[in-house]
Amino acid sequence: MTDIPRFAPITRRTIAQEIHDRLADSITGGDFRPGSQLPSERALCQEFAVARTSVREAIQGLVAEGLVERRGNRTHVVERLPGIDISGEDIRKETVRQLFEVRRVIEISVFELAACRATDTQRSEITELAGLFEPPMAIAEFRALDRRFHWAIAQACGNALLSELYGKVLDSLFGSEAFESLLYAEHNQAEVDLIVAGASEDHRRIARAMAEGDPVAVSEAVVGHLSDVEGRMLGHLE
Amino acid sequence: MTDIPRFAPITRRTIAQEIHDRLADSITGGDFRPGSQLPSERALCQEFAVARTSVREAIQGLVAEGLVERRGNRTHVVERLPGIDISGEDIRKETVRQLFEVRRVIEISVFELAACRATDTQRSEITELAGLFEPPMAIAEFRALDRRFHWAIAQACGNALLSELYGKVLDSLFGSEAFESLLYAEHNQAEVDLIVAGASEDHRRIARAMAEGDPVAVSEAVVGHLSDVEGRMLGHLE
DNA sequence: TCTGTTGGTCCGGTGGTCAGACCATAACCG
DNA sequence: CGGTTATGGTCTGACCACCGGACCAACAGA
């Protein structure tokens, strides 16, 4: 009997396609206000670390699909996205809401498993990382530490596939332009400071429960943490 | 103030790197018995749908890392994988065990959300798909339908990010060579027939609860389903 | 009106990939 | 044991994607 095919064919994706999709997701995800100017080709070159020809091809696709348009010698997001009739603001909040829903589904289990399975070394690392949160903190510094903290716990859950999936949630959380633009908006600064302070306290609480190997306490701390941060972000930021 | 960088740099990956990683994962994941012959370069060309030069480069990397070795004019998995001292059989079962753990974390929530949020059209589709399970069924046919059934539910959960993540779990579930090799092993046929019959019944039960919009019943059915299939796969297959 | 920025076009070069051909050697089969 | 088949090794020419850069026309802003 012939061998079972074990592997799916390789799929190929050009750099322009990847850039196109990321820009399209960003636009439809509410990161750009309708009518606003897109970053220039040269600026996007730098951010994506690619040649201008790749960025050009991606943007040409966006023009063809009606997501952006040329105005003079500038590229702007169209005033009305095809097929979408809620505002960028609402899209952004829905994106964040869904992200928290996913976190509730996965993060609680990951943290509970880590509480049970982490090695002593991992518990020490988690405790040490929690101790580094010292408000007030610059947003960028806070987020970098926040990610390290969550990833350390992810690695302690003892399930490679679950760690990988949670890593993708963290990629969404820390790579989300919708999330970032809420945090960095000038008029949200005072509220963001409160979020940072609350989250820092929550992280220490989680780390203590983790160090004690108490999954129930960890679960309660995570539930409270998610509820608090989500409530503040959706209720108080714009 | 300068714009916040919104996008991470593009990463580049060659076809040979992708093939290398997939082969390495397959080998360390227990899909090839130690000492067994790897599929030929030409066979892998066909499966991956790439040129021989790409497959060659990937395999040369595996040789360099000590995962495979040349014996005469054949390529074989090494008898002892570097850094691994449990058998492929145990690795395979651990892979499957972790996969079920991830399913319990995510699938129950996805199904519960779908029970609450599915449209009438989606409920009808789910019911129809469940009705297509008619044991006895060929494994390949069963798995294709199984995947459609789970994906239909995933799309009904009302959270794009969660659907995407669950899609990756399904990719692992239906793309896992560890899983496939347990199912297709000749000596497991009778037990697999029992798994197919039990799963078909469970799917109908889930679809009924889904049609009734009963998340509690859906949750119970899913928990039972996962427990049953996992128990059979880990306890009775080899 | 002038300057700077942006999009448009073009160029030559590099790396990755492709399909194919051919050969030497080992494995397999009668 | 000999013949056939299969496999890995090497090589070739072609094509594509991508790169970095240069230059220009037109627009936006001061």
Side-chain angles (χ1 to χ4, degrees):
Chain A
M1 136 200 195
T2 65
D3 282 336
I4 302 149
R6 294 172 180 277
F7 302 103
I10 292 287
T11 59
R12 292 154 179 80
R13 213 161 133 72
T14 66
I15 285 183
Q17 282 176 316
E18 173 71 22
I19 294 171
H20 167 278
D21 291 351
R22 284 165 75 179
L23 287 171
D25 288 346
S26 203
I27 291 166
T28 58
D31 297 333
F32 295 95
R33 215 170 289 115
S36 66
Q37 185 185 332
L38 215 61
S40 72
E41 288 179 4
R42 290 172 177 85
L44 291 172
C45 277
Q46 289 197 301
E47 289 194 46
F48 287 117
V50 299
R52 254 190 83 207
T53 42
S54 302
V55 172
R56 279 188 60 73
E57 184 177 331
I59 295 182
Q60 270 161 349
L62 295 173
V63 172
E65 287 148 32
L67 293 178
V68 303
E69 63 192 359
R70 313 293 202 180
R71 289 187 200 162
N73 65 346
R74 300 281 196 269
T75 308
H76 288 253
V77 178
V78 297
E79 294 286 354
R80 247 183 171 325
L81 292 168
I84 291 174
D85 41 29
I86 62 175
S87 72
E89 175 71 20
D90 290 334
I91 293 174
R92 213 157 48 179
K93 286 201 165 178
E94 181 58 22
T95 300
V96 170
R97 187 174 293 114
Q98 292 193 1
L99 186 52
F100 273 95
E101 184 170 76
V102 171
R103 288 184 71 184
R104 276 197 293 280
V105 166
I106 299 183
E107 197 160 308
I108 295 169
S109 297
V110 166
F111 280 43
E112 284 176 335
L113 289 172
C116 297
R117 297 176 180 171
T119 66
D120 288 341
T121 304
Q122 286 169 329
R123 290 179 210 275
S124 297
E125 185 194 358
I126 290 162
T127 300
E128 184 190 334
L129 287 169
L132 297 178
F133 288 93
E134 295 173 324
M137 296 174 74
I139 301 169
E141 183 195 352
F142 170 79
R143 277 172 71 72
L145 182 54
D146 201 9
R147 180 165 194 159
R148 285 175 63 199
F149 178 72
H150 285 84
W151 183 239
I153 296 172
Q155 288 178 290
C157 79
N159 185 317
L161 178 56
L162 192 54
S163 295
E164 182 188 335
L165 287 176
Y166 186 55
K168 293 184 196 303
V169 176
L170 295 181
D171 285 343
S172 291
L173 179 61
F174 294 104
S176 166
E177 284 87 13
F179 211 91
E180 295 254 321
S181 59
L182 282 177
L183 292 179
Y184 279 95
E186 203 82 10
H187 53 275
N188 289 336
Q189 276 326 291
E191 187 63 28
V192 167
D193 287 344
L194 292 176
I195 291 176
V196 167
S200 300
E201 186 51 41
D202 292 338
H203 291 157
R204 279 192 285 277
R205 201 167 146 229
I206 290 168
R208 267 198 302 281
M210 193 74 69
E212 288 160 11
D214 186 347
V216 173
V218 163
S219 182
E220 286 172 2
V222 176
V223 168
H225 171 55
L226 291 175
S227 181
D228 185 53
V229 177
E230 182 184 13
R232 289 182 184 280
M233 288 199 70
L234 295 181
H236 298 273
L237 300 190
E238 58 190 36
Chain B
M1 142 197 190
T2 66
D3 283 336
I4 301 147
R6 296 173 179 276
F7 302 103
I10 292 288
T11 59
R12 293 155 178 81
R13 216 161 130 71
T14 67
I15 285 182
Q17 283 176 315
E18 174 71 22
I19 294 171
H20 168 278
D21 291 350
R22 284 165 75 177
L23 288 171
D25 287 347
S26 201
I27 291 166
T28 57
D31 297 334
F32 295 95
R33 211 170 292 114
S36 66
Q37 185 186 333
L38 215 60
S40 72
E41 288 180 5
R42 289 171 177 86
L44 291 171
C45 277
Q46 288 197 302
E47 288 194 47
F48 287 119
V50 299
R52 253 188 86 207
T53 42
S54 302
V55 172
R56 280 188 62 70
E57 184 177 331
I59 296 182
Q60 270 162 348
L62 295 173
V63 171
E65 286 149 32
L67 293 178
V68 303
E69 63 192 358
R70 313 292 201 182
R71 288 189 200 162
N73 68 347
R74 300 278 195 268
T75 308
H76 288 253
V77 177
V78 297
E79 294 285 355
R80 248 185 172 322
L81 291 169
I84 291 175
D85 44 28
I86 63 175
S87 71
E89 175 71 22
D90 290 334
I91 292 174
R92 212 156 51 180
K93 286 200 164 179
E94 181 57 21
T95 299
V96 169
R97 188 175 291 115
Q98 292 194 1
L99 186 51
F100 273 95
E101 183 170 77
V102 170
R103 287 185 72 182
R104 276 196 293 280
V105 166
I106 299 182
E107 196 158 308
I108 295 168
S109 297
V110 166
F111 280 42
E112 283 176 336
L113 289 170
C116 297
R117 296 175 178 171
T119 66
D120 288 343
T121 306
Q122 286 169 328
R123 290 178 210 275
S124 296
E125 185 194 357
I126 289 163
T127 300
E128 184 189 333
L129 287 170
L132 297 179
F133 288 92
E134 295 175 323
M137 295 174 77
I139 301 170
E141 183 195 352
F142 171 79
R143 276 170 73 69
L145 183 53
D146 201 8
R147 180 167 194 157
R148 285 174 64 199
F149 178 72
H150 284 84
W151 183 238
I153 296 173
Q155 287 178 291
C157 79
N159 185 319
L161 179 56
L162 192 53
S163 295
E164 184 188 333
L165 288 175
Y166 186 54
K168 293 185 197 300
V169 176
L170 295 181
D171 286 343
S172 290
L173 178 61
F174 294 105
S176 166
E177 283 86 14
F179 211 91
E180 294 254 320
S181 58
L182 282 178
L183 291 180
Y184 279 96
E186 203 81 11
H187 53 276
N188 287 336
Q189 277 325 294
E191 187 63 26
V192 167
D193 287 345
L194 291 176
I195 290 177
V196 167
S200 301
E201 185 52 39
D202 292 338
H203 291 156
R204 278 192 286 277
R205 201 167 146 227
I206 289 168
R208 267 198 304 277
M210 192 74 70
E212 287 161 11
D214 186 346
V216 173
V218 163
S219 183
E220 286 172 3
V222 176
V223 167
H225 171 56
L226 291 174
S227 181
D228 184 52
V229 178
E230 183 184 12
R232 288 182 183 281
M233 287 199 69
L234 295 179
H236 298 274
L237 301 190
E238 58 191 37

